[in-house]
Each structure stands twice: as structure tokens, then as C-alpha cells.
């Protein structure tokens, strides 16, 4: 059985963009494939500590895992949920792979360059996390890892590390599928980017300082209304989908389609010929508030205990698979 693997960092609350762009598609993917694929969903707590944690780490982990269930994940025996740090093989394989990966390759990672740019001091974790990511993937022979374009380079790196290792020691690791082929297989809408409400030329990001730029999954209807009513638009005066010239309005149309789960084209047609931006904002604010309210209601029905039970089973499974793979690697290096 092939493995699909996914994890979202648990540093902070998620935005509506993270939810619609990453979590909902992942849940759809898992629900479509969990009869014939292993689905590993892990909380990358070790990746999270490379930067500051907003809130309480254990609480963030529980909340993030509840999100998958609230987003409609249908659990079955092929779905495994675990915390990265509870499977020590991740850290140990990371160290061993550090002795395989090259400095040159890691120094070329765009994410590292972006995250370290202009900083006086950067922790080693920010430089090395792609190797930990390689360990996360290779321990489980995972072939499909649904990630955005910003992570493609890390999948390529994982493939290079695995190839180098296999060349020397035989076929220990399964290479993840090339990023472009992954996107095709998973039919994810990779281009989907919810925009920043204040600066719609940019994407919405959870780390953006301005509160009015982003909708958080914990926002109240009043907060949502305020943020959407003050969203930046344009002076064109027509409600139409034109991401280049009218990114603010186009973003609102896009959001409305997604929260109502209807084709974007239908929303565009509904507003064709309309000119009052305020009407559109009011409608979108109401729809997003309803969407988040429904989501929060579902969330409230999922208990911490339910998550803990899932984690216990998932971690027993993950340790078994990961330790077996680690043992093969240790033997290759004569560590065992
Ligand atoms: P940060 O500001 O910390 O980088 P972020 O909001 O960009 O936070 P990430 O942790 O980088 O979130 O990404 C988590 C997932 O959410 C990724 O799969 C990413 O592709 C997706 N994602 C992030 N922002 C958006 C967005 N605005 N629209 C759609 N998907 C998004
Ligand atoms: Mg990001």
C-alpha cells in the first residue's frame, strides 16, 4: 500500500487561507484515497520549534488535529495520526541523513534564504529542517506529500538524499514522486491563493502582523464583518473577476465560492453587472461568518480525549514502521 503523508506546522492559529487552501483539499484527498492508501497525518512539533510558538504547543497540536476532523476527515484503519516528537526515529534518521545531505544543496534552499534574510542570527534548525523533512518522508516510504510550490525544492532534496543513500547501500528508501506528478495525481488546486485583505497583491499569511489582513478560524462574526467590510478594493467600479487589476474584489468572489462550496463561475455570474462593492462585502462577510460558525460548532463536538486516543494508536503504528526503517539504515552504516 502506498503512503500519502501530510503535516501542518502548529506554531499558531490558522487562517481561512490555510484552511481553504491546504486543510480542506487534504481532507478531500484523504477521504478519496483512504481505502487504498495509507494516510499519515502528523503534527510536526519538531518543525514548529524552529520559530517562536504563539500559544501553547500541546494545545496547538490538539486544535490542529481537531481541524482535520471538523473539516470532515472520515477516519478508518488506514489513517494514522501522530506527533513527530513521539516517534524518536525522525530525529535519529535526521542526524544520519545530515551525514548524507550536502551543504551545497541545503544552502540553495529558497526557504532558508527567505527565512534567514536580513537576520543577524539564525538557528541551525532553520537551515537543517529540510533534512528532518526528508526523514519524515523516507521513514514511511511516503510517495505522495501534498505541499505547495514553496516546498517543491524540499521534495527534490529528499529525492536526492534518498538516491545518494540507495546508490551506496542498496534500495532502502522509496523516492517520493516528483512534485509536478504529485500535483497531477492529487488534483489539488495548487494555484489557489486566498489574498491578504488589506494588501490583495499578496497572499493571506498567518504571520502577517496586521490583524485586518487575515481571517482566523477563531474569529467571531463581528471580527469577520469588520475585516471584510474594510477590505481593500479598487476604483474600477465593477464586480468582476480580474485578479490582475482587481485582486481585492476577485479575492472576495473567490472566498465566497469556497465557503459556499459552489463553482467560482457561478458566483461571478451572480454579480455580473453589479457595481456596489458594499453589497458584495456584506454578502461575503455573512457567508464567511456562517461558514466559520458552523466550523466552530463542529469543532466543539470533538473532545481532547478523542484526539488523544487517535494519537496513541497512531504513534504505536508510526513507531513500529519508523523503527523498522531506521534499523535498516543503522545496519547500512554498521551502527547495528
Ligand atoms: P507563514 O506566514 O507562517 O508562512 P502561512 O499562512 O503562509 O504562514 P504556511 O505554514 O506557510 O502558512 O502554509 C501552510 C499551508 O497553507 C501550506 O500548504 C500553504 O500552501 C497553505 N497556504 C498558506 N497560505 C495560503 C493562502 N493564502 N491561500 C491558500 N493556501 C495557503
Ligand atoms: Mg507561508
Amino acid at each position: 500500500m502506498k503512503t500519502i503523508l501530510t503535516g501542518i506546522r502548529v506554531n499558531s492559529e490558522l487562517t481561512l487561507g490555510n484552511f481553504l487552501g491546504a486543510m480542506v483539499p487534504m481532507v478531500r484527498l484523504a477521504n478519496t484515497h483512504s481505502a487504498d492508501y495509507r494516510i499519515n497525518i502528523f503534527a510536526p512539533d519538531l518543525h514548529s520549534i524552529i520559530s517562536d510558538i504563539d500559544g501553547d504547543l500541546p494545545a496547538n497540536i490538539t486544535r490542529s488535529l481537531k481541524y482535520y476532523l471538523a473539516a470532515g476527515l472520515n477516519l478508518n484503519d488506514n489513517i494514522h495520526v501522530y506527533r513527530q516528537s513521539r516517534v524518536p526515529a525522525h530525529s535519529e534518521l535526521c542526524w544520519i541523513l545530515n551525514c548524507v545531505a550536502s551543504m551545497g544543496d541545503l544552502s540553495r534552499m529558497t526557504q532558508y534564504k527567505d527565512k534567514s534574510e536580513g537576520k543577524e542570527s539564525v538557528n541551525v534548525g532553520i537551515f537543517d529542517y529540510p533534512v528532518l523533512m526528508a526523514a519524515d518522508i523516507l521513514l514511511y516510504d511516503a510517495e505522495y506529500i501534498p505541499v505547495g510550490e514553496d516546498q517543491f525544492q524540499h521534495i527534490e532534496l529528499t529525492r536526492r538524499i534518498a538516491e545518494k543513500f540507495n546508490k551506496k547501500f542498496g534500495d532502502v528508501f522509496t523516492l517520493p514522486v516528483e512534485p509536478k506528478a504529485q500535483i497531477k495525481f492529487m488534483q489539488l488546486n495548487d494555484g489557489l491563493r486566498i489574498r491578504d485583505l488589506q494588501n490583495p497583491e499578496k497572499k493571506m499569511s498567518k504571520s502577517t502582523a496586521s490583524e485586518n489582513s487575515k481571517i482566523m478560524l477563531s474569529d467571531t462574526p463581528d471580527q469577520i464583518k469588520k475585516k471584510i467590510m474594510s477590505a481593500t478594493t479598487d476604483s474600477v467600479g465593477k464586480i468582476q473577476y480580474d485578479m490582475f487589476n482587481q485582486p481585492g474584489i476577485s479575492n472576495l468572489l473567490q472566498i465566497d465560492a469556497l465557503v459556499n462550496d459552489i463553482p467560482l463561475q457561478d458566483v461571478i455570474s451572480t454579480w455580473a453587472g453589479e457595481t456596489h462593492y458594499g453589497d458584495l462585502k456584506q454578502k461575503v462577510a455573512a457567508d464567511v461568518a456562517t461558514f466559520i460558525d458552523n466550523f466552530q460548532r463542529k469543532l466543539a463536538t470533538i473532545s481532547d480525549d478523542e484526539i488523544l486516543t487517535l494519537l496513541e494508536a497512531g504513534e504505536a503504528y508510526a513507531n513500529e514502521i519508523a523503527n523498522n526503517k531506521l534499523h535498516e539504515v543503522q545496519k547500512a552504516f554498521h551502527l547495528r
Side-chain angles (χ1 to χ4, degrees):
M1 207 181 252
K2 294 185 174 183
T3 298
I4 301 173
L5 177 133
T6 186
I8 293 190
R9 294 206 314 144
V10 285
N11 290 68
S12 64
E13 174 64 293
L14 298 185
T15 67
L16 185 67
N18 300 136
F19 189 71
L20 297 174
M23 205 156 251
V24 170
M26 180 58 216
V27 166
R28 197 173 299 140
L29 183 76
N31 288 346
T32 315
H33 291 292
S34 67
D36 0 272
Y37 287 77
R38 270 194 209 113
I39 315 277
N40 288 11
I41 297 178
F42 74 110
D45 49 1
L46 296 174
H47 283 292
S48 302
I49 60 170
I50 64 172
S51 52
D52 291 342
I53 305 284
D54 185 2
D56 172 54
L57 184 61
N60 287 3
I61 292 172
T62 310
R63 181 182 57 200
S64 148
L65 296 175
K66 282 182 182 177
Y67 286 171
Y68 287 99
L69 302 190
L73 179 69
N74 299 321
L75 293 170
N76 70 22
D77 290 347
N78 288 337
I79 296 185
H80 307 284
V81 182
Y82 52 93
R83 290 162 286 194
Q84 186 185 29
S85 71
R86 304 294 172 126
V87 186
H90 288 244
S91 309
E92 181 151 1
L93 182 62
C94 174
W95 177 257
I96 296 175
L97 297 182
N98 274 335
C99 304
V100 177
S102 85
M103 285 290 288
D105 271 350
L106 282 175
S107 311
R108 275 191 289 278
M109 296 294 119
T110 314
Q111 286 287 305
Y112 166 65
K113 289 189 208 158
D114 287 354
K115 290 199 154 98
S116 57
E117 200 186 326
K119 294 215 175 109
E120 213 166 87
S121 141
V122 174
N123 72 55
V124 178
I126 289 183
F127 180 72
D128 198 37
Y129 88 88
V131 180
L132 179 58
M133 191 170 154
D136 301 334
I137 296 168
L138 297 175
L139 276 176
Y140 304 91
D141 293 315
E143 288 182 65
Y144 294 101
I145 305 99
V147 289
E149 210 160 332
D150 55 330
Q151 296 293 326
F152 281 7
Q153 239 191 340
H154 298 156
I155 303 293
E156 296 291 6
L157 177 78
T158 302
R159 287 169 54 86
R160 270 203 302 288
I161 292 174
E163 253 174 344
K164 200 168 162 190
F165 185 98
N166 285 352
K167 216 173 192 175
K168 200 163 170 190
F169 298 110
D171 280 341
V172 172
F173 294 128
T174 304
L175 267 60
V177 170
E178 281 181 48
K180 291 236 163 70
Q182 299 217 18
I183 294 292
K184 206 165 162 213
F185 160 79
M186 294 182 287
Q187 298 185 312
L188 293 179
N189 185 354
D190 186 53
L192 175 68
R193 281 288 173 267
I194 302 298
R195 303 303 181 100
D196 181 304
L197 295 175
Q198 292 298 311
N199 301 296
E201 303 77 27
K202 297 195 310 181
K203 75 164 195 71
M204 187 182 284
S205 287
K206 54 180 145 59
S207 60
T208 304
S210 146
E211 289 303 324
N212 280 340
S213 285
K214 54 192 183 183
I215 292 173
M216 309 309 292
L217 293 177
S218 52
D219 279 353
T220 62
D222 281 349
Q223 285 172 313
I224 293 166
K225 187 157 186 216
K226 193 175 141 259
K227 290 176 183 183
I228 292 185
M229 294 313 290
S230 67
T232 302
T233 53
D234 54 68
S235 53
V236 176
K238 283 186 193 155
I239 300 179
Q240 54 191 11
Y241 190 84
D242 177 351
M243 214 31 119
F244 189 72
N245 294 306
Q246 298 183 261
I249 289 295
S250 305
N251 190 37
L252 294 178
L253 293 169
Q254 168 83 272
I255 291 174
D256 208 47
L258 289 167
V259 297
N260 289 307
D261 198 16
I262 52 177
L264 174 60
Q265 204 49 52
D266 291 3
V267 179
I268 296 171
S269 308
T270 307
W271 290 93
E274 301 285 340
T275 55
H276 295 295
Y277 289 178
D279 294 350
L280 174 66
K281 285 179 170 182
Q282 253 164 18
K283 166 84 165 70
V284 177
D287 290 352
V288 172
T290 304
F291 178 81
I292 291 202
D293 185 54
N294 287 338
F295 173 73
Q296 286 170 357
R297 278 171 206 274
K298 259 185 243 146
L299 202 62
T301 65
I302 306 159
S303 70
D304 288 9
D305 282 352
E306 192 175 333
I307 299 298
L308 213 58
T309 307
L310 272 180
L311 285 172
E312 275 165 14
E315 284 159 11
Y317 153 86
N319 272 298
E320 193 181 328
I321 305 258
N323 286 336
N324 282 338
K325 182 61 74 177
L326 177 63
H327 192 69
E328 276 184 70
V329 176
Q330 288 167 326
K331 280 201 298 199
F333 273 102
H334 299 290
L335 294 164
R336 292 290 183 280

